Amino acid sequence: MESKRKSARQLAKEVNSGRNAARRLIEKGLKHCKNLNKSLNNFTFIAENEALEQADRVDKTIAAGAELPLAGVTLAVKDDFCCSGLPASLGSDAFRNFIPPFSAAAVEAMLEAGCILIGKTNLDDMGMGSSTLSSPFGPSLNPWSAEHVAGSAGAAAVASGQCLLALESDTGGALRLGASHCGVFGLRPTPGRISRYGLSAFSSSFSQAGITAANPEDIGVALEVLSGFDERDVSTALCRELPQEREKDIGPEALTIGVWDGDGDRLSSASQDLIGQTGEKFQQGNFKISEISLELFPEALRAYYIVAFAEASSNLSRYDGIRFGEAAAARNLDELYEQSRRRTFGKEARRRSIFGTVLLGKDKFEPYYRQVLKIRRLFQEELARVFKQCDLLLLPVAKNQAPLIGQDAGFIDQYEEDYYTAPFSLAGLPALSLPAGTIENMPVGLQLVGPPLADDLILKVAAGIAEDVAIPPIAVWPGRDS
Amino acid sequence: MNMAEVEKAIGTIKIAVSDSEKEELLAGLKDFLCWLEPVKKIDTADVEPAFFSHGAVNILREDRPEKADISTLRRVAPDFDEGFYRVPPVID
Amino acid sequence: MDYEVVIGLEVHVELKTKSKLFCSCPNCFVPEPNVNTCPVCLGFPGTLPRLNREAVKLALTASLALNCRIACRSWFDRKNYFYPDIPKGYQISQYYEPIGRRGSLTIEDDQGRTRIVRIGRVHMEEDAGKLVHSPAGDASLVDYNRAGVPLVEIVTEPDLRTPGEARRYLEKLKIILQYAGVSDCKMEEGSLRCDANISLRPSGSETLGSKTELKNMNSFKAVEKSLEHEIKRQRAILKSGKEVITQTLRWEEESQKTIVMRGKLQAHDYRCFAECDLAPIELTAEEVEEARADLPEMAEARAERFVHEYKLPDYDALMLTSSRGLADYFESCIEFYNNPKNVSNWIMGELSARLNSAGMEIESCSFGPEHMAELLRMIDENLISGKIAKDVLEKAFSSGKMPRRIVEEDGLLQISDQSELEGIVEKVMKENPDSIENYRRGKTKAIGFLVGQVMKETQGKANPKLVNELLVEKIDSQ
Ligand SMILES: [Mg+2]
Ligand SMILES: [Zn+2]
């Protein structure tokens, strides 16, 4: 049945041609989504009425002769994006009933393109983490096996067929790790390709919007819809300089893929084999392969955490219980702050806020914060040198398959889960997580990383080898409705 | 790192934390700083910090005033009365 | 032991923009609270700041007008602290790389000698909201109308030595910024605010003593007074051998005393770091030079021009250029009525008196340049006397009516008809034979008395020159 699953493009084509009505599709889709959600817990809110209304709007628009690039395509949006009229928990128990007064730029763009927003997906405490284990709504389960974490609920929703596209945030790697754990594609584009306006970011430097889908072509269509200058987000100024002309048809023989085995001993032998096999497939596909190494990688991970925590301590300061959220009963101002913020943050958000405060303190600022901003520059320079030797990089996303739920890892071990993803957040490079195989019947992905603005090239290369790399069909979750 | 430093940071960032969590935070902070130690060893002499994650400069908005719909803003306020946001009495 | 006083000032000035610094909310005073607000200036999750082009332009103008070096690359940082009047838990401010550095401003010291006050930095930042107490006292109430209003902060080096110098610095700064079109600089309305750092040190010492910070002064006078008060206080402490405690004090206008501020912001670690949600500002040398060339004419230059172009005495030129509003008013009058000295006399005399007693600024005065021009023309045309003109000005000032209409409605036209005046002159002569006698005996002043009597009879409407001629003629022919 998986092979019959339509891509977002195919579906949009059917809706645009009138062969299929968005309304009929969404009625079926919602039922499936709701049924599965009971067991998977991917959605914090399913927007049934809004989805039906949007489907009617889309059908009407099509009937009026318009064509929409994503007509009738179901979309899940992570719950740290604001959608006016829909609750946005932002990863906080105190915000379960918060209705933001405006919509995120990316959400607006997707709706305008004809997407049907079916609901908001689960996330970690204030968006901090890549497992959903710290979510106030409880963890989302991996559709491949309920014993494993989903990594990201959006990826799990795409993998289980609850939706065709997911709009997700990626700070240190949640989107990419989720895609790896669930066997789907997830792109964190070059920062600035997609407006962050309306995304509640715990890190201004790193939190950004990305797309998850079952195939790279669908991501390409969504990226086209989402990419562009938005004067509400300065980082999108980069889109004003995007080359108008698309990449010319470059054959594989003209491209060199730099393969990095990812510090070997950090990975299981199965994971190492996967890189080797995928590298070979690239080679069979006529790509040139060169082996590379990255010296500053371990420091880049630490640098990411220092900057991200420092920013988290500041970005989350707006949660004071005065203009939005919940105000704790308090006799004085300090109590209002301390109790309201306690109520808003989970344990991880508290930890990051407090650690970040320490790192920005007088004695730590120079040796940590300022030092790692220098390391960021050195790391970016190192990567620029690497991209003189190759066009794209192939390396692991995750150290392994999705971790087991209940495996009580220390917080630093959890941070180490981002080992392969966070450094590219630090460097500001586009990175795609693509399914590469299975280990112990769980999917595992690999990462294709390029220089800034190589997003389209990455997607193209991924599309070229998608059929060659063994993408296993998504397993049927026992509780899944047919 | 000692408890006084942890308490100072908690006081600065204003989050209520139990005593046992404070202990846990202190231990965690020690581990964390130890984990971070390698970054100090990188030679960064003469390197300019990369303060910005984006390369944008001079992104400016035209000076045109616009009124927002304030009713939706007030609706989500925990304690809004007669035009004001209310907080416990502040002494200054 | 004698002590030297060391004063530095931090002045916050509201920029005259139409919208706020990082959002499109209107930048204007409204009495109703929390009206000029939006998700951005209320710090809603997911919002991002958007920098106002005009604010940058005005900050650049202010920096240039204060002779600063302009940063070719400057940016904003976050100053992190909690207070209900700042919505995001941080203030966006230029901490590390301000737009202007190392400027200067010239003032006179208490002996009238020229002194250069160094300006350390001019930077942009957003204003905070306003906190008021609830009538019942059970809560504080926050109004975010002002949150996000663009400010420049202008910080002097510790170069001021007396409260008088501090006051003159502020007066000069106000004139410069008004001339530059940067701000209204109305301290009473809060568009100019001043904090002062003050310390004493033994005369001849190079190191600074421990300082206190003074806040909440609502006028230039209050700045001077509070500094005088604080100098006395610190001197007494030092004389008794104790040490001055570094702290923030607020000036209480009612009691004319400083009191220690509780709660708010004593010795903070603001954990400043670059604001990545905004883009840095880069200015080329050409852009800076262009802005410099575009600087409006400043007070000194304008005074000099007034002397040359309008042949005004130095004193008049200086007075008229003491505020940009006054100088603009003068030049508008000249456009309608080209007798500069006459206009100057009337502005500095009668109009200034009216403004002072009404406590008004020239900008908000309803007696505009057209009014002034029409009034003076009527005097020149012998339609009204100077004395009547003063009454007309007073009426026009309060009603906004045109002078000619007032003259017509109130029947104030001057009597220049000889036949009409002759009878009155004869009557006055008959009633004052002594004065005529005195005049004949050579007391020429007596004629003035007689003119005055005729004016009285005509309620000031008689043409005094004509009355004078008639009187002389008639007495001589008697
Ligand atoms: Mg300031
Ligand atoms: Zn606003």
Side-chain angles (χ1 to χ4, degrees):
Chain A
M1 96 151 257
E2 271 315 314
S3 57
K4 278 194 286 179
R5 201 169 142 187
K6 283 173 190 146
S7 71
R9 284 155 304 134
Q10 281 171 312
L11 198 120
K13 212 169 167 188
E14 289 180 16
V15 174
N16 275 316
S17 68
R19 258 185 296 149
N20 230 326
R23 172 82 192 201
R24 205 182 61 80
L25 287 166
I26 195 65
E27 276 171 356
K28 234 174 92 185
L30 274 168
K31 207 173 126 204
H32 177 65
C33 179
K34 282 195 296 189
N35 272 340
L36 264 185
N37 206 48
K38 286 175 207 145
S39 39
L40 289 177
N41 193 34
N42 287 333
F43 286 82
T44 58
F45 183 82
I46 294 176
E48 201 168 350
N49 295 334
E50 292 81 357
L52 292 170
E53 284 167 19
Q54 165 73 352
D56 287 343
R57 267 195 299 274
V58 168
D59 285 335
K60 220 181 265 173
T61 310
I62 304 280
E67 209 170 297
L68 300 169
L70 292 168
V73 172
T74 46
L75 171 76
V77 175
K78 194 169 169 180
D79 212 14
D80 47 6
F81 284 87
C82 294
C83 306
S84 75
L86 299 185
S89 76
L90 315 174
S92 167
D93 193 44
F95 278 71
R96 280 172 185 266
N97 301 315
F98 173 62
I99 312 272
F102 61 96
S103 283
V107 173
E108 274 174 353
M110 290 300 259
L111 291 177
E112 215 166 285
C115 276
I116 315 290
L117 201 174
I118 53 161
K120 306 292 292 293
T121 51
N122 199 10
L123 72 176
D124 281 285
D125 179 19
M126 302 308 286
M128 296 168 164
S130 39
S131 66
T132 70
L133 288 173
S134 65
S135 166
F137 300 89
S140 297
L141 308 186
N142 195 302
W144 291 71
S145 156
E147 280 91 64
H148 295 263
V149 301
S152 106
V158 170
S160 63
Q162 286 179 301
C163 59
L164 287 173
L165 289 175
L167 179 65
E168 298 191 273
S169 62
D170 184 290
T171 308
L175 176 147
R176 290 166 281 164
L177 287 163
S180 174
H181 296 340
C182 297
V184 293
F185 292 80
L187 176 71
R188 173 190 168 98
T190 307
R193 284 299 297 269
I194 304 177
S195 172
R196 297 169 299 149
Y197 192 82
L199 164 64
S200 165
F202 75 81
S203 161
S204 288
S205 291
F206 306 135
S207 299
Q208 69 172 78
I211 312 144
T212 303
N215 62 75
E217 292 91 342
D218 284 352
I219 293 181
V221 177
L223 182 63
E224 176 107 34
V225 163
L226 290 168
S227 176
F229 176 58
D230 174 11
E231 61 165 11
R232 292 169 294 182
D233 177 359
V234 294
S235 73
T236 59
L238 155 122
C239 291
R240 297 193 299 196
E241 290 142 39
L242 277 185
Q244 283 300 309
E245 218 171 302
R246 297 268 132 211
E247 297 269 346
K248 295 244 168 53
D249 273 322
I250 313 170
E253 53 289 330
L255 293 173
T256 305
I257 307 293
V259 179
W260 185 45
D261 68 4
D263 278 354
D265 51 353
R266 286 182 170 268
L267 294 170
S268 66
S269 62
S271 294
Q272 285 179 42
D273 290 347
L274 208 56
I275 302 176
Q277 288 157 16
T278 310
E280 272 165 35
K281 276 168 193 150
F282 269 104
Q283 213 151 17
Q284 285 156 17
N286 283 327
F287 288 94
K288 276 184 234 137
I289 298 295
S290 83
E291 279 187 22
I292 58 107
S293 65
L294 291 164
E295 301 294 323
L296 278 170
F297 216 77
E299 282 70 32
L301 173 73
R302 295 176 169 89
Y304 161 83
Y305 270 101
I306 290 171
V307 177
F309 284 17
E311 291 185 338
S313 74
S314 174
N315 281 33
L316 300 189
S317 289
R318 66 193 62 213
Y319 298 100
D320 55 9
I322 298 175
R323 294 161 309 284
F324 40 77
E326 276 182 33
R331 287 158 299 179
N332 57 50
L333 188 61
D334 271 341
E335 215 173 277
L336 174 77
Y337 282 130
E338 288 160 7
Q339 296 300 336
S340 303
R341 289 167 62 69
R342 166 93 203 178
R343 168 87 186 93
T344 305
F345 301 156
K347 191 172 179 184
E348 187 58 27
R350 295 201 291 277
R351 172 157 45 218
R352 293 191 184 196
S353 288
I354 292 161
F355 284 14
T357 306
V358 170
L359 289 168
L360 285 173
K362 277 200 185 89
D363 56 325
K364 304 276 189 301
F365 188 82
E366 271 303 317
Y368 292 96
Y369 183 77
R370 219 159 174 279
Q371 165 76 350
V372 298
L373 290 182
K374 294 176 182 175
I375 292 177
R376 163 150 75 176
R377 188 176 297 281
L378 291 175
F379 184 54
Q380 284 170 330
E381 287 167 2
E382 182 184 13
L383 285 162
R385 284 194 299 274
V386 165
F387 285 118
K388 284 202 176 111
Q389 299 160 39
C390 64
D391 298 288
L392 299 178
L393 265 175
L394 180 73
L395 73 159
V397 187
K399 284 196 223 166
N400 228 319
Q401 68 270 39
L404 287 164
I405 292 171
Q407 201 177 52
D408 211 6
F411 70 94
I412 291 176
D413 289 340
Q414 280 172 34
Y415 301 164
E416 293 258 9
E417 289 290 319
D418 298 348
Y419 186 82
Y420 295 108
T421 52
F424 298 113
S425 302
L426 182 82
L429 301 184
L432 176 81
S433 175
L434 71 161
T438 53
I439 295 173
E440 292 164 17
N441 293 320
M442 291 299 289
V444 175
L446 287 176
Q447 218 175 176
L448 263 182
V449 180
L453 293 176
D455 315 65
D456 299 292
L457 180 65
I458 291 172
L459 289 171
K460 208 176 137 188
V461 167
I465 64 147
E467 281 157 39
D468 296 326
V469 289
I471 300 177
I474 292 158
V476 176
W477 167 250
R480 191 168 160 188
D481 147 332
S482 59
Chain B
M1 250 359 256
N2 56 43
M3 189 46 98
E5 287 173 86
V6 173
E7 281 179 338
K8 188 178 161 236
I10 292 170
T12 303
I13 206 69
K14 300 197 191 292
I15 308 172
V17 173
S18 70
D19 286 346
S20 66
E21 190 175 345
K22 274 183 203 169
E23 294 292 345
E24 202 184 317
L25 281 164
L26 174 60
L29 203 43
K30 283 178 179 163
D31 289 348
F32 185 58
L33 291 176
C34 181
W35 183 66
L36 293 178
E37 202 59 22
V39 303
K40 290 183 168 173
K41 298 196 175 77
I42 305 289
D43 179 10
T44 55
D46 305 324
V47 180
E48 253 309 289
F51 287 116
F52 290 86
S53 51
H54 55 74
V57 291
N58 296 344
I59 309 300
L60 300 161
R61 167 180 63 81
E62 297 312 316
D63 185 26
R64 277 191 289 270
E66 237 172 75
K67 286 222 158 206
D69 174 12
I70 49 175
S71 65
T72 54
L73 304 175
R74 294 168 172 203
R75 235 183 343 252
V76 297
D79 195 358
F80 189 86
D81 191 35
E82 294 191 26
F84 286 103
Y85 293 88
R86 289 167 65 88
V87 295
V90 177
I91 25 159
D92 59 2
Chain C
M1 195 192 320
D2 210 20
Y3 294 97
E4 184 186 32
V5 176
V6 179
I7 299 168
L9 297 180
E10 287 175 20
V11 174
H12 288 87
V13 163
E14 262 179 30
L15 296 176
K16 246 202 269 182
T17 57
K18 294 190 189 78
S19 62
K20 289 186 180 182
L21 185 54
F22 299 122
C23 66
S24 299
C25 284
N27 173 21
C28 60
F29 177 79
V30 277
E32 204 186 323
N34 292 303
V35 173
N36 289 346
T37 55
C38 73
V40 178
C41 59
L42 291 180
F44 268 65
T47 59
L48 298 168
R50 273 192 289 160
L51 182 56
N52 184 337
R53 182 186 299 279
E54 183 66 13
V56 176
K57 195 181 152 211
L58 293 178
L60 175 61
T61 304
S63 303
L64 289 169
L66 296 169
N67 307 308
C68 286
R69 301 199 185 177
I70 305 302
C72 57
R73 181 177 161 93
S74 69
W75 63 80
F76 286 90
D77 303 286
R78 293 182 185 177
K79 195 171 160 183
N80 295 285
Y81 65 99
F82 287 93
Y83 206 65
D85 61 5
I86 61 159
K88 299 181 292 297
Y90 50 85
Q91 179 197 33
I92 303 179
S93 174
Q94 293 192 299
Y95 181 82
Y96 289 106
E97 223 33 83
I99 186 160
R101 273 188 200 276
R102 299 169 71 186
S104 67
L105 187 154
T106 316
I107 57 161
E108 282 185 358
D109 69 9
D110 292 353
Q111 285 73 44
R113 288 171 304 207
T114 300
R115 265 174 75 74
I116 292 172
V117 181
R118 289 171 302 156
I119 289 168
R121 53 153 62 213
V122 174
H123 72 246
M124 286 177 265
E125 63 184 27
E126 57 178 339
D127 206 347
K130 223 174 80 190
L131 211 58
V132 292
H133 298 289
S134 73
D138 59 336
S140 288
L141 311 173
V142 200
D143 172 11
Y144 293 106
N145 279 342
R146 221 178 55 187
V149 160
L151 302 176
V152 283
E153 182 175 332
I154 301 154
V155 185
T156 72
E157 298 292 345
D159 286 354
L160 298 158
R161 292 290 171 269
T162 68
E165 284 182 16
R167 182 177 45 76
R168 282 192 294 281
Y169 166 82
L170 291 171
E171 285 165 355
K172 185 77 177 283
L173 183 69
K174 174 177 171 163
I175 292 173
I176 291 174
L177 295 178
Q178 281 181 338
Y179 265 89
V182 166
S183 172
D184 293 336
C185 293
K186 289 183 186 164
M187 207 169 182
E188 295 73 18
E189 290 174 21
S191 65
L192 186 153
R193 277 164 271 161
C194 174
D195 299 335
N197 289 303
I198 173 165
S199 62
L200 267 56
R201 63 182 170 196
S203 299
S205 163
E206 285 295 311
T207 51
L208 292 171
S210 51
K211 65 174 184 187
T212 56
E213 193 182 350
L214 298 179
K215 285 182 180 290
N216 199 42
M217 292 87 78
N218 295 324
S219 65
F220 291 170
K221 194 86 214 137
V223 173
E224 200 174 5
K225 277 264 182 293
S226 64
L227 285 170
E228 277 164 8
H229 178 272
E230 182 59 13
I231 291 168
K232 266 189 220 141
R233 195 187 69 90
Q234 287 195 14
R235 184 173 279 134
I237 293 172
L238 293 173
K239 283 235 157 102
S240 70
K242 293 193 200 107
E243 267 177 53
V244 172
I245 307 164
T246 302
Q247 58 192 358
T248 304
L249 305 163
R250 59 180 289 158
W251 175 247
E252 268 206 342
E253 191 62 40
E254 307 77 46
S255 61
Q256 298 277 300
K257 274 195 180 118
T258 54
I259 55 165
V260 180
M261 284 178 84
R262 281 181 295 170
K264 193 180 180 181
L265 312 178
Q266 296 276 7
H268 244 277
D269 179 3
Y270 290 115
R271 296 168 286 131
C272 294
F273 67 93
E275 167 60 301
C276 285
D277 286 338
L278 288 165
I281 301 150
E282 289 186 357
L283 294 163
T284 63
E286 293 77 48
E287 284 168 323
V288 173
E289 284 322 305
E290 223 168 274
R292 201 192 304 277
D294 283 350
L295 273 184
E297 189 184 28
M298 290 291 157
E300 282 105 339
R302 204 165 186 185
E304 221 166 279
R305 181 164 64 79
F306 279 13
V307 170
H308 289 118
E309 196 174 326
Y310 303 121
K311 312 286 177 244
L312 290 178
D314 287 348
Y315 178 78
D316 289 42
L318 224 55
M319 290 302 290
L320 289 172
T321 54
S322 66
S323 91
R324 182 173 169 180
L326 211 55
D328 286 347
Y329 186 93
F330 169 77
E331 291 209 275
S332 295
C333 289
I334 297 301
E335 273 179 40
F336 297 109
Y337 172 82
N338 197 2
N339 182 342
K341 180 59 188 157
N342 204 17
V343 172
S344 168
N345 289 346
W346 278 81
I347 291 177
M348 284 166 21
E350 216 45 35
L351 182 61
S352 291
R354 291 281 131 247
L355 288 168
N356 278 341
S357 65
M360 252 162 88
E361 301 277 345
I362 191 121
E363 290 87 344
S364 46
C365 164
S366 55
F367 189 80
E370 302 91 337
H371 294 75
M372 180 64 94
E374 188 174 283
L375 186 74
L376 300 187
R377 228 179 281 121
M378 284 169 78
I379 302 173
D380 288 355
E381 291 165 6
N382 285 330
L383 295 173
I384 50 171
S385 66
K387 187 173 173 309
I388 293 283
K390 287 179 187 175
D391 299 342
V392 174
L393 187 148
E394 190 177 343
K395 280 184 182 155
F397 186 89
S398 50
S399 69
K401 282 185 191 168
M402 288 305 284
R404 186 174 290 274
R405 214 181 120 197
I406 293 171
V407 167
E408 280 165 8
E409 282 175 5
D410 297 2
L412 299 174
L413 270 185
Q414 183 161 282
I415 307 168
S416 299
D417 183 342
Q418 194 166 327
S419 58
E420 205 177 316
L421 285 177
E422 266 175 351
I424 304 166
V425 167
E426 278 162 15
K427 182 175 167 246
V428 166
M429 281 172 69
K430 229 174 260 166
E431 284 166 6
N432 298 285
D434 298 354
S435 299
I436 296 171
E437 208 44 44
N438 286 342
Y439 172 71
R440 287 210 173 110
R441 266 189 255 130
K443 284 198 178 168
T444 44
K445 263 191 189 165
I447 204 87
F449 172 77
L450 292 168
V451 172
Q453 291 306 110
V454 175
M455 296 306 285
K456 207 171 169 185
E457 287 285 323
T458 59
Q459 286 112 43
K461 287 188 282 180
N463 180 339
K465 214 171 136 219
L466 187 58
V467 171
N468 202 322
E469 282 168 19
L470 276 175
L471 277 166
V472 173
E473 194 188 303
K474 283 194 189 291
I475 295 169
D476 288 350
S477 65
Q478 253 180 5

